[in-house]
Every structure is written in structure tokens, then in C-alpha cells.
Amino acid sequence: MRAKWVPYAFLAPALLGLLLFRLVPILLALGGGFTGTDLTGETSFLGLDNYAGLASDPEFWNSVRVTLLFNLIINPLQVVLAFALALLMAKPGRGVGTLRTAVLLPITVLGR
């Protein structure tokens, strides 16, 4: 019988990375939103003043609108084009080797 902790041991590095590189910066940024720093480096607690300023700024809401619109258009388009390219590369036929080389060679050369 396998130990019950083995799957958790495999998940631990990914969860640690998620915690360190995603959740901690988000929490620090949210916490920093409640403070203000002046030119001398002195930090003071502002409460919700920063967020109230954002809520009343029309430029902020325009940025939110543009970002959402961009993501609603670009993300589905990116998925569809990636899927179409994957289908083209998997399909046997004339010129597929050249297509695979054109797509995969930059990845191997640049070490991405």
C-alpha cells in the first residue's frame, strides 16, 4: 500500500512556488494600498483613501474598461489561433515539416 503523503510531496513544490511568487506579492500590494509614502521615505497609514481616489478617477475606470475589452478579444483569439496552428502541425501532409521547423526552431534556438 502506498503512503498517503506521496501525492502531497509532489504537489508541495508547485504550491510553494504559487504561494511565494503569486499570493505573497498580491497580499503585499493590497497591504501597500492602505499606506502612503512621501519623498523622505516616511510611510503613513491612509486607510481606504487610495482606493476611494481610484473609484472616483475616470481614467482608472477607462483603463479597467480597456483592459477587460482587450482580454475579452485577445484571449479567445489567442486560444483559437494556437489550436488551429496545433491542428496544422499535427496533420500529415505536404509542407508540414517546414511548418514545424518554422514554429519550433526559434523555441529551441532561443531557449524559451
Side-chain angles (χ1 to χ4, degrees), residues 84-85 87-90 95-105:
L85 183 61
L87 285 176
L88 281 175
M89 289 177 52
V96 172
T98 306
L99 176 65
R100 290 179 184 157
T101 301
V103 171
L104 298 175
L105 188 64

Side-chain angles (χ1 to χ4, degrees), residues 61 84 94:
W61 291 111
R94 194 177 164 130

Side-chain angles (χ1 to χ4, degrees), residues 62-82:
N62 184 48
S63 297
V64 169
R65 184 183 63 76
V66 168
T67 301
L68 289 175
L69 185 63
F70 178 82
N71 281 302
L72 286 173
I73 294 170
I74 295 299
N75 289 339
L77 185 65
Q78 209 171 17
V79 169
V80 168
L81 290 177

Side-chain angles (χ1 to χ4, degrees), residues 7 9 17 25-26 34 47 53 77 84 86 89 112:
I26 288 171
F34 293 105
L77 185 65
M89 289 177 52
R112 200 175 145 109

